Amino acid sequence: MNHRVTATAVRSILFPAAVSLASIACFPAGSGVSPGVTTLRVALWAGGFELEIEQQVADRYEALRPGTRVLLESAPNGYEERLLTSIAAGHPPDVYLLDSPDIPTFVDRGLAVDLAPYQEALGFQADRVFPQVLEAYRRGRALFALPKDFTPMVIYANRAVLEGAGVDRAVVGQNGAWASGWTWEDYRRAARSVTTDRDGDGRPDVYGFDFPRNLFQWVPFVWSAGGDILAPRGDRATGYLDGPAALSAYAFLTELAEEGLTPGAQFVQQADPAREARFASGGQAFLLSGHWTLPLFHDLVRAGALDLAILPIPHHPSQPGATSVLYASGWAVPPNAANPRQAIDLAGFLASPEAQRIRARSGLAIPTRVDVAAEIAAADPTGVEDAFIALAERARVTWGATVRDFSRVERLALEIMDRRLLRGEPLEISAAEVARRVDEVLAR
């Protein structure tokens, strides 16, 4: 995702009717609250049903802490900028939601309190949290946010579309697996099988896939080819973003588009607003996304109208398996919070098992507590939740969790495959040029 831009785009897609309750710097503390009541302000980006669920969490905290009022201040758009402004202006929220690609921006600038000394008092059990999620928020022994939830990127598969094209159900396998070994060639063959022009107008009515233009989507294909986009220390792109493994991933993905297995070029430079509906209605076999898309399909799956499987990212034949990318969020406290003691207590509750159980009703992400996630999976008869948890074990946290201003890297990376698909430019040329420009960004 140009992660800050992309995260915003994802939120607006999922919550198109969401209206910001306030810009984060606009609500005076205690507004509309009786004297003697402690008001705690929470900054987040939730909208729609997700915001309703977060209000239930806030209501529960208020019930447990009489004399406390929790105000949720949501900014689905421009979240990072508003949050930075509010902290710099001396009017920060008491607690804020920290997206994994924003960790360096806030932690490296000293804008998040180290919560490690308060873990025992809060009842926070680090050994009960998915380790790769917890590590995203650690710097040495310090812990700058208490993990809320997370998701790996996965492949959604419409079994009915695949079976209709002659792909045997046994080959598709169970959730979280592809029976014959899920390589790029398996993926290409399946995409070719389903792509058909039913009405004879010269354009497919069913596609294999939709083109993954953004780095947050395609980076696991690079990892699953045995490569990376940055050097191990995150300080250099040349030799990686333009390396052999990365180039093989770009070639594989652009060839899918050039072969007509994805919708047209109009979606190369803009979002594809119909992709979820096309997938659910049988017009597309595969969909690359995170857990946040799952609520869109719940009713269809329960009604038997969508035979859904969750599969790993396909991997290069040279590799034993796939490595996906993982996105997480956590609750942080700014150093200049008006009510630091109460803010830390609230952050602890927002990350607690009780809060995670309430929040899991939204279905947008996986709880970061291993035991809570297991409870949710045990109650799911479809096996989808189990598949997500299994696939998270082979996922890496986004580079944005360690590289400051990674959104600049993501914006530049858009050009690599765009220039191939729109101009016919060789991938080696565009990737090498973009890698050099990324190096300049990383050196600043």
Side-chain angles (χ1 to χ4, degrees):
M1 309 182 196
N2 170 335
H3 203 283
R4 176 48 38 210
V5 173
T6 311
T8 299
V10 167
R11 292 166 200 148
S12 64
I13 290 169
L14 291 176
F15 311 114
V19 177
S20 171
L21 296 185
S23 69
I24 290 176
C26 283
F27 275 100
S31 176
V33 179
S34 302
V37 173
T38 299
T39 302
L40 300 175
R41 300 163 51 239
V42 178
L44 69 170
W45 56 74
F49 179 58
E50 185 184 11
L51 189 57
E52 294 176 13
I53 293 290
E54 291 300 336
Q55 186 60 57
Q56 293 176 27
V57 175
D59 292 344
R60 178 57 179 159
Y61 182 79
E62 291 177 358
L64 293 171
R65 306 288 192 275
T68 302
R69 173 75 184 277
V70 177
L71 294 180
L72 302 182
E73 300 180 356
S74 183
N77 299 305
Y79 176 77
E80 179 188 24
E81 295 78 8
R82 294 184 183 197
L83 182 54
L84 287 168
T85 299
S86 71
I87 296 175
H91 189 64
D94 292 280
V95 178
Y96 64 90
L97 191 56
L98 181 58
D99 203 5
S100 52
D102 292 334
I103 293 172
T105 299
F106 287 84
V107 171
D108 295 354
R109 294 171 179 168
L111 302 181
V113 170
D114 177 11
L115 299 173
Y118 309 102
Q119 292 179 85
E120 184 175 351
L122 294 173
F124 179 78
Q125 297 173 288
D127 61 349
R128 300 276 183 98
V129 176
F130 285 91
Q132 66 270 52
V133 178
L134 185 68
E135 288 307 308
Y137 293 99
R138 283 197 186 279
R139 295 293 185 271
R141 295 186 177 181
L143 179 62
F144 291 102
L146 303 179
K148 169 183 174 276
D149 52 25
F150 74 101
T151 182
M153 293 294 287
V154 302
I155 297 290
Y156 288 70
N158 187 323
R159 282 199 185 102
V161 173
L162 292 166
E163 290 179 6
V167 179
D168 192 287
R169 187 180 186 87
V171 173
V172 179
Q174 300 300 312
N175 276 309
W178 181 270
S180 63
W182 185 223
T183 69
W184 289 357
E185 285 311 307
D186 293 317
Y187 194 70
R188 193 195 312 267
R189 280 194 296 271
R192 284 173 176 161
S193 296
V194 303
T195 302
T196 53
D197 176 11
R198 292 173 174 170
D199 58 12
D201 66 354
R203 294 177 297 178
D205 304 294
V206 181
Y207 292 94
F209 194 38
D210 59 281
F211 184 72
R213 181 185 183 230
N214 298 288
L215 187 152
F216 87 94
Q217 297 171 302
W218 56 251
V219 69
F221 286 89
V222 176
W223 291 345
S224 298
D228 210 331
I229 60 170
L230 299 179
R233 295 177 59 185
D235 58 352
R236 179 166 56 90
T238 51
Y240 294 87
L241 189 65
D242 59 346
L247 288 170
S248 69
Y250 310 147
F252 169 67
L253 294 171
T254 54
E255 285 166 7
L256 292 177
E258 290 168 339
E259 196 174 330
L261 307 182
T262 69
Q266 72 268 27
F267 297 128
V268 172
Q269 290 189 301
Q270 61 186 15
D272 181 353
R275 70 189 205 114
E276 290 90 358
R278 187 167 56 244
F279 172 82
S281 64
Q284 187 170 310
F286 300 117
L287 180 72
L288 174 65
S289 194
H291 203 289
W292 61 72
T293 299
L294 195 57
L296 300 178
F297 303 140
H298 269 155
D299 290 346
L300 293 172
V301 171
R302 289 170 183 158
L306 174 61
D307 190 356
L308 179 67
I310 302 298
L311 303 174
I313 305 294
H315 58 87
H316 190 278
S318 67
Q319 300 300 306
T323 300
S324 188
V325 62
L326 185 149
Y327 296 102
S329 60
W331 300 106
V333 175
N336 56 343
N339 304 288
R341 181 181 62 80
Q342 296 98 324
I344 292 169
D345 181 70
L346 175 57
F349 178 77
L350 293 175
S352 69
E354 182 174 4
Q356 293 199 22
R357 289 187 182 97
I358 295 172
R359 192 174 292 118
R361 299 170 190 165
S362 73
L364 287 167
I366 304 169
T368 54
R369 288 268 305 210
V370 174
D371 51 348
V372 178
E375 291 173 14
I376 303 303
D380 172 30
T382 68
V384 164
E385 296 295 342
D386 266 331
F388 266 98
I389 293 172
L391 296 177
E393 295 176 1
R394 290 186 59 89
R396 287 175 49 183
V397 175
T398 169
W399 268 112
T402 54
V403 175
R404 187 189 290 189
D405 299 326
F406 189 66
S407 60
R408 296 181 184 179
V409 175
E410 294 180 302
R411 283 194 292 271
L412 289 171
L414 288 172
E415 294 186 25
I416 296 173
M417 290 188 284
D418 280 7
R419 285 159 61 168
R420 168 67 185 184
L421 294 175
L422 299 174
R423 306 181 198 169
E425 184 173 308
L427 290 165
E428 294 83 354
I429 293 176
S430 60
E433 181 185 329
V434 170
R436 288 194 297 271
R437 290 160 63 191
V438 169
D439 282 352
E440 294 173 1
V441 169
L442 296 175
R444 292 173 189 166

